[in-house]
Amino acid sequence: MSQTSLPNTNSDSSLSLTETVRKTVLDNGLTVLTKEVHSAPVVTVQVWYKVGSRDETPGLNGISHQLEHLMFKGTTNRPIQFGRLLSALGADSNAFTSYDQTAYYNTVQRDKLEALLILEADRMQNAQINAEQLATEKGVVISELEGYENEPGYRLDREIMRQVFPNHAYGLPVGGTKEDVEGFTLEQVEDYYRTYYRPDNATVIIVGDFETDAVLKAVNQHFGTIDARQPGDGDTSASLGVSDEGDRDTSASLGVSDGENLVILEQPGSAALVQVVYPLPNVTHPDVAAIDVMDYILTSGRSSRIYQALVESGLASDAGGYAANFHDRGWYALFVTTDPGEDLNAIARVLQEAIASLQNQGVTEAELNRAKAQLKAELILDNRDVTSQAFQLGANHTTAGDYRFTDQYLAAVAQVSSQAVQRVAQTYLTPQQRTVGFFQPTQIQDEPSHGIGEFSKTTEHFYADSPVDPAEVAQYLPPVVADATLTPTQPLPERLTLTSGVQVLLLRDRSTPTVTLTGYIKAGRANDPPQKSGVAELTADNLMNGTQTQDALTLAQGLDDRGIDLDFYTVREGTFITASALSVDLSSLIQPLSDVLQRAIFPPDQLELSRQRALTDLQIELDDPASVAQRTLAQTLYPKDHPFHSFPTPESLSQITREDVVQFYQTYYRPDRTILTLVGDFNPQQVRSLLEQEFGSWTATGKPPQLTVPAVQLPPSTVQVNRRLPGKSQSVTLMGNDAMNRTDPRYYAALVLNQIIGGDTLASRLGSVIRDRLGLTYGIYSYFQTGIYDGSFVIEMQTAPEDTQRAIANTITLLQQIQEQGVTATEVATAKRSITSQYPVTLAHPDNLAQTILDHQVYGLTPDELREFVRHIEAVSVKQVNQAAKELLHPDNLVIVTAGS
C-alpha cells in the first residue's frame, strides 16, 4: 500500500482542519484517511462511496438510496440486521445518500474501532440482498419519501430542481420517486451494488483516539483482501450530461411573468412559499469562495440584507438561502415563508431588488468582514467533534476530489474582495438565469375530525412470537478487546452561585478554541396565564429586539460580526438559551446575553412583527402531522386545569398585549430562576469575574412564583383521536400515557426498558417487528418524556394511512407481551451495554456535554451525576426493568393520536 502525508497549504495554520490527516491508498485502490484526535476516548469510522443520485437515470431514480437501506439487512456472513450489531457496540450510527456520495458512519468508544472495521469490510463485499428484503425495504423507503411529501417546501423544491436541471441527475430527487422505487428489480439493485460498492470507489475515514500505524494495519487486514471489482452495467454516470442550455429570459421586470422559469403549485397547505434558484458552477470553481461570502451577506443572520428586507419589514415570517456546490454543478437557492394573502410576485421582486442593489452598488467593508467572520466561525464550530471532522473530510474527498479542500477554501475566502463579491453577483444572479417557484396553499386548514372513542383493534393482529434473541447478536458480533485504560474519569463542572443568585456551572475543555453556553430560565409555556397561551414564547422571541442600551440591529450586528450564535427557545417547563462562539469572543457573547436578560424593552413595533411571525408559524405547525399529533396527545392526556394542556391558538396570540409580555418578563426572568452552563476553552478565574460583573447585580423582588401541577389519571380504557389534515401522504401516530419525572427512582430501569422497546429504530423490538419484519414504517421509536414534573411515555411512528391501524394493533400487542411476560436477562444486559457504551460518545460533543450538565442542575441532581450515570445503569436488574414495565406501560389505557390524511 502507498502512503501520502501532504503538507498543509493554508498559510494560517490556526485554521487548518487537515494538517494532521494522513492519506493511505491500499493495493486494491481503497483510500484511507486517518486523523488522530485525542480529546476524548472515542473514534468515528466512516465509509464513503462515490455514488449518489448523480449516478442515476429516470427510471432508476432512488436506487442509491434504496441500496443504502438494504446495506443494513445483513451479509452472507452475518445474516442479521446490522443496526442490532451497531447498537450492541453502543455506536452512534446512521447512513445517508446525497447527490455525489453514499456514506455510512459510526462513532464508538475507541475499543470498538476494529469491530466496526470488520463489519464495514463485511458489508462492502458480502451484502445479502434478496427479493423478500427488497420488497419489505421498498415499503420503508416509500414511507420515508411520502413523509417528505407531507412538506410543501419539499414538493416545491422538487419541481424547481426539475426545471433548473432538466437534463442532469441533479434535477432528480435524491431519495427517488415512489414510481421508480416500486419498479426496482432484484437484478438492478444487485448490479448497482457490484458496480459501485468496491474498494477503489470507496474511502474509509477514521478520526479520533487511536494510534495511526496500528489502525492502518487493521484496515489493511480487513479491507485489503477485498477484490477491486470492475464496474458493471450499472454504471450510468456517463449517460447523464450537464445541460448547457442558453439563458431563458421570461422576466420582463423585477417581478415574475409567466414562462418556463416560473413554477406554481396550488395545493393544500398552510403558509405561502417563494423559492428562487440560480445555477452555479461546481465545487472546485475559483468563484465558489466569493459566492459563499456573497450568500452570507445576503442571508446569514438578522443583519443580512434579505432578512432585513423581508422579515424585519414584516413581508415574511422567514427568509434565507444557501449556496450548494457539488461535483458537476451547483445552485444558489433563496426561500421565503409568508402568509397566504401576501403578493408572491411582490416578494420575488423584493428579492431581486436586494440582489440588484448588491450588483449595482457593491458591498461595504463591514459587510465583507462580517461575512468572513461568520463563515470562519461556523466552520470551526461545526468541526468540534470527531464525527463532524470526518464528515468534512468525506465531503471534501468525494465531492471536491481532495480531502484538503476546506483548508484551501478558507485561504481563498480570506482573499475575497468586495469587488469579487459584486462580480459573482453580476455573473450568476441574473434574472434570465433564475427559476422562481410559488407555493400557494389552496386551504390553510381543513376542519379536523375528532374521532374520540373506544379503540378497537383491526382483525389482523401480530401474534407475538419469541422476542429477538440478543444471543444471536452476540453470535455475529466481532470480538472487542478489553481496554484497561477505558475507565474514564469524567471531569466534573465547577458549581457556583453569583451574588444575584444565578447558578453557574463551568467546565474547562481546551480541545478546541471554542466555547459552548447553555442556559435555562424557569419561564416555560406552563407558566402562560389563562387565555394567553403563547406569552412565554413571545417573550423569548422578543428578547433580542432591543434593550435599554442598544436596538435590535445593533445587537444583531455585534453578534454577527463575530459569528456568534445566540438563541432562545421555549418548552413547556422553561426557556433554554443556546450559544456558541470562538473562545476569543466569549465576552462578546456574555455581555449581550446579560443585557437582554436584564434590560429588554420589547418595542411595540417589533412585538407586533413577532406576533405575526408567530401566527404564521402556528399555521405551519397546525398543518404538520407530527406537531398536531404532539399537541393533541398532550391535550388528551392532561386535563384542562393542567398547565401542560394549554397551547397557543390564533385567538390567544391575538389577545396578548405588550403589557402581558412585560409582566411575564418581570415575573419569571429572575436571577434565582436562571442557570448558566459554560463548556470550552476559557480561563476559569477570568470567566467567574466576567459573569459576576455582568450578572452579579441582577435583582429580583419577592419570592419566585411557583407552578401548581395537579395529578393525572389514566383513562379508563384506550382512547383514539384522529385529526384530519388534507393533502398528507403519511400519517403520524403517537401512543402514550402519563409516566414519571426525572428524579423518579425508576428512571434508570425505565431507560433500559425503553431501549428494549423502541429506543433504537433498527435494534429494538418495535423496530424489529413494525419496521423490519412488516415494513409498515420508515421510523418507529419510543421515549420517556421526563422533566421537573411527571411526563409521559410515548411511541411515535410514521405510516401510510392504510397501514396505520395495523401498525397500532401490532404495537399494542407487543406492549402487552412485554408487560405480561417481561424481558429477558440477555435483553437487559444488551440494552445496558448499549446505553453505557454510547454515553461517552454523546458527551464527546461539547453541545451535548453542556446540555447534560445543565439538565442535571435543572432537575436537581448533583454534578456527580455526570460520572454516576453509567454506574446507575449498570446497577439496574432484570427484576427492576420488569417491575417498571408493569408500572409504567399501560397498553389498555393508552391515548392514541393519528394526524394525517
Side-chain angles (χ1 to χ4, degrees):
M1 60 183 177
S2 63
Q3 297 187 1
T4 308
S5 184
L6 297 175
N8 171 42
T9 58
N10 187 355
S11 58
D12 185 355
S13 61
S14 67
L15 297 183
S16 176
L17 297 172
T18 63
E19 188 172 19
T20 60
V21 174
R22 185 167 166 182
K23 178 181 178 181
T24 304
V25 181
L26 305 189
D27 293 340
N28 60 7
L30 179 73
T31 298
V32 185
L33 301 177
T34 52
K35 180 181 181 181
E36 294 185 24
V37 179
H38 299 290
S39 56
V42 300
V43 62
T44 188
V45 175
Q46 304 184 5
V47 182
W48 291 57
Y49 295 93
K50 293 181 182 179
V51 59
S53 61
R54 177 173 65 91
D55 301 281
E56 298 169 359
T57 55
L60 286 178
N61 182 209
I63 194 168
S64 302
H65 178 228
Q66 181 71 75
L67 180 56
E68 174 218 311
H69 277 245
L70 290 167
M71 290 291 284
F72 284 89
K73 304 298 281 188
T75 67
T76 53
N77 296 328
R78 295 177 174 82
I80 182 175
Q81 164 61 255
F82 258 48
R84 293 170 59 199
L85 298 174
L86 297 169
S87 178
L89 293 172
D92 179 7
S93 301
N94 215 322
F96 68 85
T97 303
S98 187
Y99 295 95
D100 295 334
Q101 62 275 121
T102 304
Y104 303 82
Y105 55 95
N106 316 275
T107 304
V108 293
Q109 282 185 294
R110 64 177 179 228
D111 61 330
K112 316 294 194 314
L113 191 160
E114 188 164 5
L116 290 180
L117 295 178
I118 293 170
L119 293 177
E120 291 296 355
D122 189 15
R123 64 175 169 179
M124 179 181 285
Q125 58 187 322
N126 301 313
Q128 179 179 256
I129 303 171
N130 60 46
E132 181 182 358
Q133 291 172 339
L134 177 59
T136 301
E137 210 61 27
K138 278 183 180 181
V140 172
V141 168
I142 290 170
S143 173
E144 180 182 358
L145 296 179
E146 290 185 337
Y148 300 152
E149 291 284 339
N150 282 354
E151 299 295 330
Y154 172 83
R155 303 198 297 268
L156 180 62
D157 181 77
R158 181 188 57 198
E159 296 305 317
I160 291 174
M161 293 303 289
R162 286 174 177 167
Q163 289 269 359
V164 176
F165 298 111
N167 300 308
H168 193 286
Y170 287 166
L172 303 174
V174 170
T177 64
K178 179 179 180 180
E179 295 73 23
D180 281 7
V181 170
E182 288 176 335
F184 294 154
T185 67
L186 182 61
E187 292 74 21
Q188 287 173 326
V189 176
E190 288 178 328
D191 181 56
Y192 208 76
Y193 172 65
R194 288 192 299 267
T195 297
Y196 292 108
Y197 280 61
R198 60 183 202 270
D200 57 325
N201 197 49
T203 303
V204 173
I205 305 168
I206 308 170
V207 178
D209 191 20
F210 60 87
E211 299 298 328
T212 300
D213 290 341
V215 163
L216 287 176
K217 182 178 179 181
V219 171
N220 195 45
Q221 176 186 347
H222 300 301
F223 286 89
T225 59
I226 302 175
D227 291 336
R229 300 186 295 268
Q230 295 299 313
D233 295 336
D235 188 353
T236 61
S237 58
S239 64
L240 286 167
V242 178
S243 172
D244 287 321
E245 298 177 15
D247 294 337
R248 298 166 293 173
D249 185 2
T250 62
S251 181
S253 66
L254 289 178
V256 180
S257 57
D258 290 338
E260 60 180 326
N261 283 62
L262 180 62
V263 174
I264 299 177
L265 295 185
E266 295 181 351
Q267 299 173 356
S270 50
L273 306 175
V274 176
Q275 185 170 338
V276 181
V277 177
Y278 301 84
L280 291 178
N282 72 5
V283 67
T284 60
H285 194 281
D287 283 343
V288 164
I291 290 170
D292 284 352
V293 173
M294 174 198 72
D295 169 47
Y296 274 66
I297 291 170
L298 285 173
T299 69
S300 182
R302 186 171 183 173
S303 63
S304 64
R305 291 193 178 194
I306 284 177
Y307 192 93
Q308 287 289 313
L310 284 167
V311 181
E312 293 292 334
S313 68
L315 288 175
S317 63
D318 190 24
Y322 65 92
N325 300 101
F326 291 99
H327 184 277
D328 291 353
R329 295 289 294 273
W331 58 89
Y332 186 55
L334 297 169
F335 50 85
V336 181
T337 303
T338 189
D339 289 331
E342 291 288 346
D343 183 344
L344 301 190
N345 260 294
I347 287 178
R349 188 177 300 112
V350 171
L351 283 174
Q352 186 55 35
E353 287 171 350
I355 290 170
S357 175
L358 190 154
Q359 292 169 327
N360 297 330
Q361 301 172 24
V363 301
T364 66
E365 283 298 310
E367 286 179 307
L368 182 69
N369 293 334
R370 182 180 304 131
K372 290 182 178 182
Q374 288 175 309
L375 199 155
K376 171 186 170 182
E378 183 175 308
L379 198 56
I380 293 173
L381 290 167
D382 285 348
N383 281 276
R384 289 173 292 168
D385 64 298
V386 296
T387 303
S388 300
Q389 291 176 47
F391 278 169
Q392 192 77 58
L393 294 173
N396 286 347
H397 185 70
T398 55
T399 293
D402 187 347
Y403 72 89
R404 301 163 299 177
F405 175 76
T406 296
D407 286 347
Q408 299 160 2
Y409 165 81
L410 278 170
V413 167
Q415 301 302 314
V416 170
S417 65
S418 56
Q419 292 80 12
V421 173
Q422 185 176 16
R423 178 183 58 78
V424 296
Q426 294 169 342
T427 302
Y428 300 108
L429 305 190
T430 64
Q432 294 81 9
Q433 297 182 69
R434 68 177 178 168
T435 298
V436 178
F438 294 157
F439 179 85
Q440 297 174 326
T442 55
Q443 54 195 98
I444 298 175
Q445 176 73 30
D446 203 44
E447 185 65 28
S449 61
H450 298 268
I452 302 178
E454 295 303 309
F455 171 72
S456 60
K457 298 179 182 177
T458 61
T459 55
E460 180 179 359
H461 298 283
F462 162 56
Y463 295 99
D465 52 16
S466 300
V468 174
D469 185 3
E472 183 185 4
V473 177
Q475 175 185 350
Y476 295 114
L477 197 65
V480 175
V481 179
D483 185 346
T485 64
L486 259 184
T487 53
T489 302
Q490 170 66 49
L492 298 180
E494 174 191 1
R495 184 164 63 173
L496 63 142
T497 302
L498 303 181
T499 304
S500 60
V502 174
Q503 299 177 59
V504 176
L505 297 106
L506 303 176
L507 184 60
R508 192 178 192 185
D509 175 8
R510 307 190 69 180
S511 58
T512 64
T514 64
V515 289
T516 300
L517 184 145
T518 58
Y520 180 87
I521 303 164
K522 293 181 182 178
R525 293 196 306 263
N527 301 109
D528 283 344
Q531 313 305 319
K532 297 290 180 77
S533 293
V535 170
E537 289 180 83
L538 269 184
T539 303
D541 289 346
N542 279 271
L543 290 173
M544 298 295 293
N545 280 338
T547 69
Q548 296 168 14
T549 61
Q550 50 191 329
D551 62 20
L553 184 58
T554 304
L555 272 169
Q557 287 177 337
L559 295 170
D560 291 346
D561 282 347
R562 293 165 176 83
I564 298 174
D565 288 323
L566 173 59
D567 293 302
F568 303 85
Y569 68 93
T570 301
V571 296
R572 65 189 187 187
E573 292 185 348
T575 290
F576 281 98
I577 306 164
T578 62
S580 56
L582 301 181
S583 53
V584 295
D585 296 321
L586 178 57
S587 62
S588 298
L589 164 61
I590 297 296
Q591 289 164 358
L593 174 62
S594 169
D595 200 16
V596 301
L597 290 183
Q598 299 179 65
R599 293 175 285 275
I601 59 173
F602 307 101
D605 57 339
Q606 291 286 349
L607 181 62
E608 192 55 40
L609 288 174
S610 180
R611 186 205 313 276
Q612 294 306 313
R613 290 195 292 269
L615 287 167
T616 302
D617 291 344
L618 180 59
Q619 289 180 353
I620 296 172
E621 181 181 330
L622 295 177
D623 189 54
D624 173 56
S627 298
V628 170
Q630 290 164 359
R631 172 185 286 238
T632 307
L633 178 69
Q635 293 189 319
T636 310
L637 276 175
Y638 301 111
K640 290 186 177 180
D641 63 343
H642 197 287
F644 294 172
H645 179 91
S646 180
F647 284 83
T649 65
E651 294 75 22
S652 70
L653 287 173
S654 299
Q655 292 173 15
I656 295 171
T657 66
R658 179 180 179 275
E659 288 69 28
D660 294 325
V661 172
V662 171
Q663 179 65 37
F664 189 91
Y665 177 70
Q666 294 173 342
T667 302
Y668 293 100
Y669 282 68
R670 302 166 51 109
D672 51 5
R673 296 174 66 90
T674 301
I675 304 169
L676 299 177
T677 295
L678 192 65
V679 174
D681 183 16
F682 55 80
N683 181 300
Q685 183 176 353
Q686 292 177 354
V687 165
R688 287 193 294 268
S689 176
L690 174 64
L691 292 172
E692 184 65 41
Q693 174 185 324
E694 292 296 331
F695 293 98
S697 59
W698 189 4
T699 59
T701 58
K703 293 182 178 180
Q706 299 297 317
L707 183 65
T708 301
V709 180
V712 176
Q713 301 297 320
L714 291 170
S717 60
T718 294
V719 174
Q720 186 163 9
V721 184
N722 298 317
R723 296 293 304 270
R724 180 174 178 269
L725 299 175
K728 304 303 178 185
S729 301
Q730 289 272 298
S731 297
V732 172
T733 296
L734 269 62
M735 310 169 64
N737 56 256
D738 188 57
M740 62 181 182
N741 61 42
R742 175 59 179 86
T743 57
D744 192 297
R746 300 170 294 182
Y747 175 76
Y748 303 101
L751 285 188
V752 176
L753 172 65
N754 182 69
Q755 184 71 12
I756 295 168
I757 295 173
D760 186 311
T761 291
L762 296 180
S764 63
R765 285 205 192 181
L766 284 173
S768 296
V769 174
I770 310 300
R771 185 190 193 278
D772 253 20
R773 191 181 308 173
L774 301 177
L776 296 177
T777 178
Y778 166 60
I780 183 168
Y781 54 93
S782 63
Y783 54 90
F784 282 93
Q785 188 177 30
T786 58
I788 300 173
Y789 307 100
D790 283 354
S792 51
F793 170 69
V794 179
I795 295 171
E796 183 168 349
M797 70 181 92
Q798 170 187 301
T799 59
E802 63 271 19
D803 292 332
T804 300
Q805 289 298 95
R806 184 180 175 206
I808 290 171
N810 281 279
T811 299
I812 291 175
T813 304
L814 189 145
L815 290 178
Q816 290 171 336
Q817 178 195 34
I818 291 175
Q819 190 188 52
E820 295 167 4
Q821 302 175 20
V823 299
T824 68
T826 312
E827 282 185 298
V828 171
T830 301
K832 288 163 59 174
R833 184 169 60 248
S834 178
I835 294 170
T836 57
S837 296
Q838 195 166 24
Y839 185 65
V841 175
T842 301
L843 295 187
H845 195 296
D847 287 353
N848 297 334
L849 178 58
Q851 187 64 49
T852 301
I853 292 171
L854 177 68
D855 288 345
H856 292 166
Q857 187 72 12
V858 168
Y859 301 137
L861 307 173
T862 67
D864 289 345
E865 178 69 12
L866 207 58
R867 289 180 182 168
E868 294 299 310
F869 175 82
V870 169
R871 185 184 64 79
H872 289 313
I873 294 295
E874 290 174 340
V876 170
S877 67
V878 177
K879 181 180 178 180
Q880 288 173 321
V881 175
N882 285 328
Q883 186 64 30
K886 291 183 180 298
E887 295 176 0
L888 297 172
L889 303 183
H890 301 279
D892 298 323
N893 308 92
L894 289 168
V895 171
I896 304 172
V897 176
T898 298
S901 179

